[in-house]
Amino acid sequence: MSAKNVRPGSGVLIRVADIDLQRVFYRDLLMLGDPVVDSAFWVEFCAPDGSRIILEKSEAAYLVHDVSATTLVLATPHLEAVRKELLSHNYPLTAEEKLHPGEAFYRGQDPEGNVFYLCIQ
């Protein structure tokens, strides 16, 4: 999706310690494609629905955690391909049917422990 399709003001900001590692994870494993903004401190992706997924580099002590306070819910048309890619890189997913009965959601964590849910778009 191109930058012109990004919905202004709609999205999630995730603070990360290792922006380079996270850029690769979100771009390649979650299959978001190339960032629309890419710098040493700010990486912005356009999700399939046009919302923004922003990674901001931070050295805050609270970033050292087992589970994040911010949770991304990503609806993707590439659900099965993303699941296979994550599993092939040892990022396990857990099925979560209780969120929306009848819909398949999968819970995972990025390399820094930030929680995300995947579902079909």
Side-chain angles (χ1 to χ4, degrees), residues 20-42:
D20 295 323
L21 176 65
Q22 296 289 66
R23 176 188 297 108
V24 171
F25 181 87
Y26 283 81
R27 181 189 65 211
D28 298 344
L29 275 63
L30 292 186
M31 298 185 180
L32 291 174
D34 291 327
V36 294
V37 177
D38 193 356
S39 73
F41 62 90
W42 185 278

Side-chain angles (χ1 to χ4, degrees), residues 44-116:
E44 185 172 325
F45 296 96
C46 182
D49 69 354
S51 62
R52 302 180 305 160
I53 299 171
I54 302 164
L55 307 175
E56 180 184 37
K57 182 170 178 56
S58 176
E59 296 179 8
Y62 69 81
L63 290 177
V64 178
H65 51 68
D66 292 326
V67 179
S68 62
T70 302
T71 301
L72 169 67
V73 178
L74 178 63
T76 175
H78 313 293
L79 180 60
E80 287 307 312
V82 171
R83 286 183 60 211
K84 287 178 185 176
E85 191 68 18
L86 288 167
L87 292 174
S88 75
H89 286 85
N90 296 317
Y91 289 101
L93 296 171
T94 305
E96 297 278 344
E97 296 180 19
K98 63 185 178 209
L99 293 174
H100 292 278
E103 290 185 55
F105 280 79
Y106 298 92
R107 181 188 187 276
Q109 290 180 273
D110 72 17
E112 293 186 9
N114 297 301
V115 173
F116 61 86

